[in-house]
Amino acid sequence: WKSRSQFVLVLMGYCIGVGNLWRFPYLCGRYGGGAFLVAYLVMLVLCAAPLFLYELVLGQKFQRGPAETFRKMAPSWTGLAYISVAMTIFYLPYYQLIVAYAFHYFLAAFQWPLPWVDGTTPDKYLDEVVLRRADALGGPGSSDVNGTLLLEVIAVWVITALCLVKGIHSAGKAAYVTVLLPVVMIACLCSVCVRLPGAGDGLR
């Protein structure tokens, strides 16, 4: 790493993602709020945090990818290293598609008025403009290719490849944007939301 700050930012980007901002609050609300939070904290302390620390230790010691690390540590366990690779192949397209949705809204946010508030509800905008959802599988329009969304997905994959093309060096530089910019945007969003009418009632 070029600097300690790059290393810390990349770790933050590794730990904090779409699930923290979107999936986690949803699960808290659905499965009991505070009760779910207690179970989450227990698993965080007993399982997730020790494994994360152990992963950092192995990476610092061997400075190789998963397969080479397991091959040097315990050759008979090398097959375990490919589980993480298989998991990435499984869930990465799912997250890339969600990022493509966010990318669409990011571009649309430069329009005035916003396209989902001028006589169009947010749900209707998502169904009819972003997804172009058909009424039923096999019905009219269900086999049409959503060209706009396809280009946005390709753009997200290209941006991801550019961030990783030079390994940790390009990833470290990209972390200054991919980690710090969402923090700034969330802070701005929170400052606006707490000043909206009825925000105090919602917080209470």
Side-chain angles (χ1 to χ4, degrees), residues 19-112:
N20 300 89
L21 304 177
W22 169 60
R23 186 71 176 168
F24 179 72
Y26 166 76
L27 291 176
C28 280
R30 182 175 180 180
Y31 294 108
F36 178 83
L37 191 60
V38 171
Y40 173 83
L41 291 175
V42 170
M43 293 303 299
L44 175 66
V45 173
L46 298 181
C47 184
L51 287 175
F52 177 67
L53 180 61
Y54 185 55
E55 185 177 355
L56 291 180
V57 171
L58 291 178
Q60 181 68 24
K61 178 177 176 58
F62 296 104
Q63 299 188 10
R64 292 291 186 273
E68 287 297 320
T69 297
F70 272 88
R71 190 172 289 114
K72 289 186 176 183
M73 182 178 63
S76 59
W77 291 4
T78 305
L80 293 175
Y82 293 100
I83 295 178
S84 60
V85 178
M87 290 175 60
T88 301
I89 295 174
F90 176 76
Y91 70 73
L92 184 59
Y94 164 73
Y95 272 103
Q96 291 290 78
L97 187 58
I98 294 176
V99 174
Y101 295 160
F103 184 59
H104 176 96
Y105 279 92
F106 173 76
L107 296 177
F110 289 98
Q111 303 178 33
W112 186 261

